[in-house]
Every structure is written in structure tokens, then in C-alpha cells.
Amino acid sequence: MATHRAVQKSSVDPHFLQLNNLACESVGGKVLFATDDWFASAHNLLKRDSATFIPNAFTDFGKWMDGWETRRKRIPGHDWCIIQLGVTGVIHGFDVDTSFFTGNYAPSISIQAACLSQDGIPEFPAQGDRTGTAASEEEFQAIQKLQSDSWVELVSIAALKPGYVDTCHNYFPVSSQQRWTHIRLNLYPDEKVDLASLVNGGVCVGFSDAHFGHPRNLIGLGRAINMGDGWETARRLDRPPVLTFDDKGVLQVPGSEWSVFRLGHPGVITHIEIDTNHFKGNFPDSCTIEACVMRPEEEKENISMRWKTNQGLEWKILLPTTKLKAHHQHFFSAIELAEAVTHVRLTIAPDGGISRMRLWAYLHSLP
């Protein structure tokens, strides 16, 4: 077992620790939904008493833990749970307690909240101890009615510390004065995540042409089943009668096609995959990927203008103009940009089709 060097604790605890715990089970707090409860159930989060540790306690599913522990993530996405507060109120802060989770704590979290009327909440069966289980398809469909992925973010993606006695309490103050009824706790793995993928919240928000296939197909699951499962544009009519190339073999043409994507979360992109699977006689000659930080109001304005101006946006090169091959998976790791971004723009020249785009990144809060 790894050794731990003690960290000096702050002598002053946050003021909000003196306030009421609105989520505690003793005042009626309850877990409505959790994606996974394999090792330990999410309802443990709401216990009134401090967490305990029993060295020799095991269940049929692994080590017994007095907290919420999901199985290690091996599929797209991340784990999350929905908690209904026992008392509606203003939240001044969170204590995310990782006690006893020293080598198996969540590397980072974020917290969202909503104020919902009771009429708009679907009926959910009592959760109780669901150790060894995961949410069913029916439960996922029911919880989607709350649209919790779009709730207000109270705590941006933040790193947690391990559950040693001197580091287990992770305090996050909240400045909002709004009253809340529900919170969503998101757990993020430490592995890189494909932030463009639709299962991680990626979405296409603009494009120049989608004659044969929509660019939203680029962020779909798995590899494309055929050309119709990718993004393919019409042939451009502005190509010169005689084609020429630069010293890197890139075709010199006046026009190009583009698509813009909002990432599921802000992040620092470290690896890129461009897949031209199935596109053999109609793949683009080259592609370029740019990235930027875009506020919601800027995105809304550019969508309304059909991205004709890109007003106020500072696009930075993520992948410089790069030659592509037919029916081939291209992998790039020498990424030029090392800062968190929210949106990317994929440009292909002169036209053609791409089946998938993967943007592997570490989750990172914006400055």
C-alpha cells in the first residue's frame, strides 16, 4: 500500500459547516437515481453519522465501504446521481467527504442544482441499498425527463483529495442565493475522455454543408457502418481546372467545408482521431481543427447568424492542416494547444466525407 505524507490542515473551517445539512437523510434527503452502485450504494452519501471503516468487511461485490463507490469505468460517459434535498433552501457550500477512499476515490467532481416543482418529478421507487446493481434502461429514460445535464452548475469540475484523515474533507463554497430542491453529483474518471462524443454531451452546433450526411454523425458511437453514417458534403464547384499541391502534398484549393461542435465539458485536448472509414474515392484531401472558449451567449449569437461572422471568437490551431488518407484511422498526439477549450471547428478541404472524430481530453475547469 502506498504511504501517505500528512498534510497540515487549515485551522479555520468554512463557515457553512455551521449551517443545516439539507441533504441529510434525517431531514428527508433521498437519492432518486444513481448510474451505478456496484461496490457501495449512493444512499450512504446522506447518512447523518460520519463514515466508518471495517477492515475485514466484504460483500459479494467487493470491499464493504461506507460511502458511494461505483465500478471502475470501462464504458463511455461518467457516473452521477440525483439527490432530492430534504428541505428546499439556499446552498452555501458542500463538503465532499472521501473518508477511507484512499486509492479508489473519484479524481474529480462537479455539482449541479435545480429548483423543481413536485408535479414535474417522475415517480421513482425507493432506492435503499442497491449494492451490486446499476441503473436500468427504464430508470435512465425516467430520469432523463428532469434534463439534469442542463441544470445550473454550482461547483465546476474540481479535483478531489484522497480519503486520509487530513485530506478527506473537500470544501466547495457556493455564492448563489437561489433556493434549490435537487442536486446532481457528477463523478469523473481520471482517464482521458472523448469530449466530442454524444454520450459525453458533445453536440454539433453549426456546419457549412451536409448534402449526403450530417456532421452530427462524426460524434456517434463506434465506427461508422457505412458512408451514410458519416459527414459527407457535396462536391464543391470552385475547384481550379488544374490541381496543384504545396511542398507537403496538400491540395491547393480556394474553398473548404466546416462544422462546429460544443464539447460535453471544457477540457484540454491531448489526442485526436480522424476516421475516414468507408470514404475511399470521396475522402477530403486535408483537414484542420481549431478550438476556442465560447460563452453560451456567443454560441447563441453565432447560431442565429449561421456562423457567418464568428464575431468575437478567437479560434486557435489545435491540429494544423494535415493530409488525409482514404478509408483510414488517423491518430494525432502532437497537439499544439495546451489550454482548456469548449468548442472545436473541423475544416475539410476541398470537400468529401469523414466518418468519425474523437477528441480525447482531460477535463479541466475554465479560468
Side-chain angles (χ1 to χ4, degrees):
M1 181 178 294
T3 58
H4 169 68
R5 180 174 296 178
V7 175
Q8 185 174 359
K9 297 178 64 176
S10 171
S11 59
V12 180
D13 287 331
H15 70 90
F16 60 76
L17 294 183
Q18 307 305 317
L19 304 177
N20 297 319
N21 181 0
L22 304 183
C24 185
E25 62 181 1
S26 64
V27 298
K30 59 182 179 180
V31 174
L32 297 184
F33 172 88
T35 54
D36 188 277
D37 291 290
W38 183 261
F39 290 110
S41 179
H43 86 277
N44 292 328
L45 294 170
L46 311 184
K47 288 182 177 179
R48 180 178 59 183
D49 298 327
S50 299
T52 60
F53 184 74
I54 305 175
N56 297 318
F58 289 84
T59 72
D60 291 340
F61 309 101
K63 179 71 182 71
W64 179 89
M65 295 295 289
D66 193 10
W68 180 31
E69 184 181 5
T70 67
R71 72 193 80 196
R72 301 197 181 199
K73 205 68 176 171
R74 299 295 183 265
I75 59 176
H78 65 275
D79 287 310
W80 49 278
C81 69
I82 299 292
I83 296 170
Q84 179 174 301
L85 301 181
V87 179
T88 301
V90 177
I91 297 174
H92 292 273
F94 293 94
D95 175 9
V96 181
D97 185 357
T98 58
S99 288
F100 307 112
F101 290 99
T102 57
N104 51 350
Y105 65 100
S108 56
I109 58 96
S110 71
I111 302 174
Q112 298 165 268
C115 188
L116 307 177
S117 65
Q118 196 63 37
D119 295 340
I121 302 173
E123 287 292 330
F124 295 99
Q127 289 287 302
D129 186 2
R130 290 169 53 94
T131 303
T133 68
S136 66
E137 185 63 32
E138 292 76 15
E139 290 171 322
F140 269 107
Q141 291 176 359
I143 205 67
Q144 288 301 325
K145 297 176 182 177
L146 299 185
Q147 298 182 324
S148 62
D149 56 341
S150 61
W151 288 1
V152 175
E153 187 174 67
L154 297 185
V155 178
S156 298
I157 298 171
L160 297 182
K161 297 185 292 292
Y164 299 104
V165 66
D166 55 327
T167 58
C168 62
H169 291 286
N170 299 264
Y171 298 127
F172 301 101
V174 173
S175 58
S176 171
Q177 295 302 306
Q178 186 172 340
R179 290 163 60 85
W180 308 104
T181 60
H182 294 74
I183 62 173
R184 168 171 162 155
L185 172 63
N186 300 295
L187 306 185
Y188 298 112
D190 53 353
E191 297 91 354
K192 290 190 287 290
V193 177
D194 176 13
L195 292 184
S197 173
L198 68 89
V199 299
N200 291 325
V203 61
C204 178
V205 293
F207 58 90
S208 60
D209 185 277
H211 190 86
F212 294 110
H214 199 285
R216 63 171 170 257
N217 294 333
L218 293 177
I219 59 176
L221 300 177
R223 297 193 75 191
I225 57 176
N226 53 40
M227 287 194 300
D229 193 23
W231 173 38
E232 185 181 2
T233 72
R235 294 193 183 209
R236 295 187 63 88
L237 302 179
D238 57 359
R239 288 177 292 182
V242 178
L243 298 178
T244 60
F245 300 85
D246 66 9
D247 56 358
K248 296 182 179 179
V250 175
L251 195 64
Q252 300 298 286
V253 290
S256 60
E257 305 293 352
W258 53 266
S259 54
V260 178
F261 298 85
R262 183 201 317 135
L263 304 181
H265 298 278
V268 178
I269 298 170
T270 62
H271 292 74
I272 295 172
E273 175 189 344
I274 296 295
D275 190 358
T276 56
N277 191 29
H278 303 298
F279 291 98
K280 301 174 182 177
N282 50 352
F283 65 99
D285 177 74
S286 64
C287 76
T288 307
I289 301 179
E290 301 160 285
C292 73
V293 173
M294 191 184 311
R295 299 190 304 272
E297 58 269 24
E298 291 176 320
E299 179 189 284
K300 183 177 180 180
E301 180 180 356
N302 278 282
I303 291 175
S304 67
M305 297 292 293
R306 296 185 179 274
W307 302 90
K308 292 179 179 178
T309 62
N310 286 312
Q311 186 174 2
L313 300 182
E314 185 181 359
W315 291 102
K316 299 181 180 180
I317 294 295
L318 193 66
L319 180 71
T321 301
T322 302
K323 191 82 171 173
L324 297 178
K325 299 178 182 178
H327 190 55
H328 183 76
Q329 282 180 286
H330 307 74
F331 297 97
F332 308 101
S333 59
I335 307 305
E336 297 196 356
L337 191 63
E339 57 190 67
V341 297
T342 62
H343 291 68
V344 298
R345 179 170 62 187
L346 169 64
T347 301
I348 58 174
D351 49 42
I354 291 176
S355 61
R356 292 292 185 267
M357 175 182 69
R358 305 297 186 201
L359 302 175
W360 299 97
Y362 288 109
L363 301 174
H364 199 288
S365 298
L366 296 175

